[in-house]
Amino acid sequence: MDFKLTDEQQMIQAAARDFARDEIAPVASEFDASGEFPLATIQRMGELGLMGIEVPEAYGGAGLDTIGYALAMMEVSAADAAHGTIMSVNNSLFCNGILKHGTEEQKQKYVRAVATGEEIGAYALTEPQSGSDAANMRSRAVLSDDGSHYVINARKSWITSGPVARYLVLFAVTDPDAGARGVTAFLIDAERDGYHRGKTEPKLGIRASATCEIELTDYKCPVKDRLGEEGQGFKIAMGVLDAGRIGIAAQAVGIAQAAFDASVEYARERKAFGKEIGSFQMIQAKLADMRTRLDASRLLTLRAAWAKMQAAETGGRFTAEGSMAKLFASESAMWIAHQAVQIHGGMGYSKEMPVERYFRDAKITEIYEGTSEIQRMVIARNETGLR
Ligand code: CAA
């Protein structure tokens, strides 16, 4: 076993770290306060290849591997988790699924636009009545009589980047009697007739990553914009989420790293009872546990990224590795951010420092792309084979 990163992995890590320090960290708190979408930095990230890290250069991406993607996500999310969210949806949920299941024409059109940062992508699975029970969707797609297009009527909620996304991967039922096997994936263009954006969600954290409802009314989707075959949609959705969860695990590691670094610095400087608080055993115990959970999260995340790379060669799955990484890293990030607030005392509760933002941002990693409860279910099902 070799823990050494390749030259390319070190290069993307350093590039993401420099960009995050110089261009994201200085504006993170301002965008968190306003809730405005950080379009300028996202477009710059696209120019640098950060919106399509695993996308081959032929489709406008950086052509790197999943470990490189996870490392870059950690760096960006340490500066600002909201930028990390937007980056993860473009990379994992949008580009990844089209690369795997799309036609050459779809890759040239949709992947290129999002990987280069010219357009923003989104992933529309969740509906008002179906979050964790993703197969229980009501959105309908009906093939037209002449077989040229589908007529889609859909209502999707909690769509990350929805207010600004031009293109979406959207899931709808084509065969209502077939359950999960009756779901089909479609590529949607927000500029076509029948596409409407609904209310924007006011959120606790990742506030600069805009989230809204989407409604499609008699939207005509050309058959060439169907992703994969009819009835394959649920498996496409699940496979895409397997990869997406590695990105969210990496995001959680980034948030946890930022919270940990701030705590070490504060423990070195802040004095109480005539000493630096870092010399008190109760603070030392917190820092030791934080660092250990942080490293374990990072290792699980990189292991999952490696498993995805192996699966690409063998055709196997990496579902459990992705779920374990997301489960552990997200719960650790929440715990580490909680400890960081405690170590900072009153300053941890103040908006003058970023620690309270890490605390708010960490929470979403336990919820989106499958709650911790869903990850536990996926991991246990994988072990027992029982449903
Ligand atoms: N890869 C490929 N196929 C898979 C799969 C995977 N990871 N998981 C399941 N499948 C297949 C199954 O093999 C089965 O196929 P067959 O019909 O051939 O047997 C089919 O899909 C149905 O599987 P299940 O019966 O296991 O499905 P289920 O209804 O019990 O649900 C679940 C499984 C794991 C709970 C799933 O619904 C799930 O992951 N729920 C969470 C949804 C989620 O993560 N939502 C996040 C929304 S997106 C988001 O958050 C984005 C954002 O904002 C950033």
Side-chain angles (χ1 to χ4, degrees):
M1 186 186 286
D2 186 357
F3 286 94
K4 195 169 175 302
L5 300 176
T6 64
D7 289 348
E8 282 189 333
Q9 289 162 353
Q10 290 182 48
M11 184 204 72
I12 185 75
Q13 184 183 42
R17 183 176 296 163
D18 290 350
F19 182 82
R21 182 197 55 221
D22 297 343
E23 306 211 25
I24 300 178
V27 298
S29 148
E30 187 186 319
F31 278 95
D32 172 59
S34 70
E36 194 189 321
F37 188 86
L39 191 60
T41 36
I42 293 300
Q43 283 171 339
R44 275 281 295 135
M45 287 166 72
E47 287 159 20
L48 291 174
L50 291 170
M51 291 300 155
I53 292 176
E54 294 174 80
V55 171
E57 289 174 24
Y59 305 117
L64 299 173
D65 64 18
T66 314
I67 291 178
Y69 166 58
L71 293 168
M73 266 299 291
M74 289 173 193
E75 297 298 337
V76 167
S77 301
D80 180 34
H83 279 77
T85 299
I86 300 160
M87 176 177 161
S88 90
V89 173
N90 280 349
N91 275 274
S92 308
L93 298 189
F94 189 84
C95 290
N96 199 48
I98 305 174
L99 277 180
K100 197 161 173 201
H101 302 279
T103 61
E104 181 60 25
E105 192 187 340
Q106 290 172 343
K107 290 177 199 172
Q108 287 293 356
K109 178 176 174 188
Y110 295 101
V111 172
R112 178 178 290 283
V114 170
T116 53
E118 281 160 42
E119 302 289 355
I120 307 293
Y123 179 84
L125 177 69
T126 302
E127 299 185 1
Q129 80 295 336
S130 67
S132 291
D133 186 5
N136 181 33
M137 66 180 69
R138 291 188 190 146
S139 293
R140 278 285 271 133
V142 179
L143 190 61
S144 62
D145 289 342
D146 65 3
S148 66
H149 62 272
Y150 290 86
V151 177
I152 306 182
N153 283 285
R155 186 165 168 217
K156 297 286 177 180
S157 45
W158 287 102
I159 305 308
T160 301
S161 297
V164 288
R166 164 80 190 269
Y167 298 129
L168 297 89
V169 177
L170 179 138
F171 301 88
V173 174
T174 41
D175 181 353
D177 299 325
R181 291 183 181 189
V183 173
T184 302
F186 298 94
L187 295 169
I188 302 296
D189 182 343
E191 291 190 356
R192 291 177 81 99
D193 287 347
Y195 184 92
H196 315 278
R197 296 184 171 94
K199 75 173 168 92
T200 299
E201 299 295 344
K203 305 196 297 287
L204 173 73
I206 54 159
R207 289 177 30 75
S209 84
T211 311
C212 73
E213 281 201 344
I214 295 292
E215 224 170 304
L216 269 61
T217 326
D218 294 335
Y219 175 101
K220 289 183 183 164
C221 178
V223 167
K224 69 177 170 51
D225 284 343
R226 186 185 68 214
L227 182 64
E229 297 301 319
E230 268 196 23
Q232 264 191 350
F234 193 73
K235 287 187 188 179
I236 293 175
M238 292 298 111
V240 164
L241 281 169
D242 285 349
R245 287 165 185 166
I246 301 172
I248 303 307
Q251 178 184 39
V253 171
I255 299 168
Q257 181 75 57
F260 176 71
D261 289 347
S263 302
V264 170
E265 197 181 322
Y266 197 74
R268 278 205 192 108
E269 284 170 6
R270 172 73 180 174
K271 288 193 173 141
F273 307 102
K275 288 202 267 188
E276 290 81 8
I277 61 169
S279 63
F280 295 123
Q281 286 186 351
M282 273 191 270
I283 301 292
Q284 289 173 348
K286 285 191 197 302
L287 291 176
D289 290 347
M290 289 159 84
R291 174 64 204 259
T292 305
R293 289 199 197 190
L294 174 58
D295 272 24
S297 301
R298 188 187 310 279
L299 288 171
L300 274 176
T301 303
L302 294 177
R303 196 266 302 247
W306 176 83
K308 175 171 175 278
M309 286 155 57
Q310 298 302 305
E313 281 170 27
T314 61
R317 275 180 41 184
F318 52 92
T319 305
E321 286 87 349
S323 283
M324 284 189 275
K326 180 185 184 284
L327 173 64
F328 191 81
S330 61
E331 293 196 342
S332 296
M334 192 67 248
W335 186 83
I336 289 167
H338 187 181
Q339 301 309 310
V341 171
Q342 194 65 19
I343 289 171
H344 283 77
M347 289 314 292
Y349 205 65
S350 166
K351 292 226 177 255
E352 283 178 25
M353 292 194 78
V355 183
E356 62 83 33
R357 173 162 57 85
Y358 304 148
F359 181 75
R360 288 184 287 108
D361 288 347
K363 184 62 204 171
I364 191 62
T365 65
E366 293 182 316
I367 298 172
Y368 64 10
E369 297 204 27
T371 60
S372 290
E373 290 73 13
I374 289 294
Q375 306 311 327
R376 287 188 165 88
M377 186 171 133
V378 169
I379 297 162
R381 281 182 176 184
N382 185 67
E383 289 301 316
T384 62
L386 298 171
R387 299 265 308 282

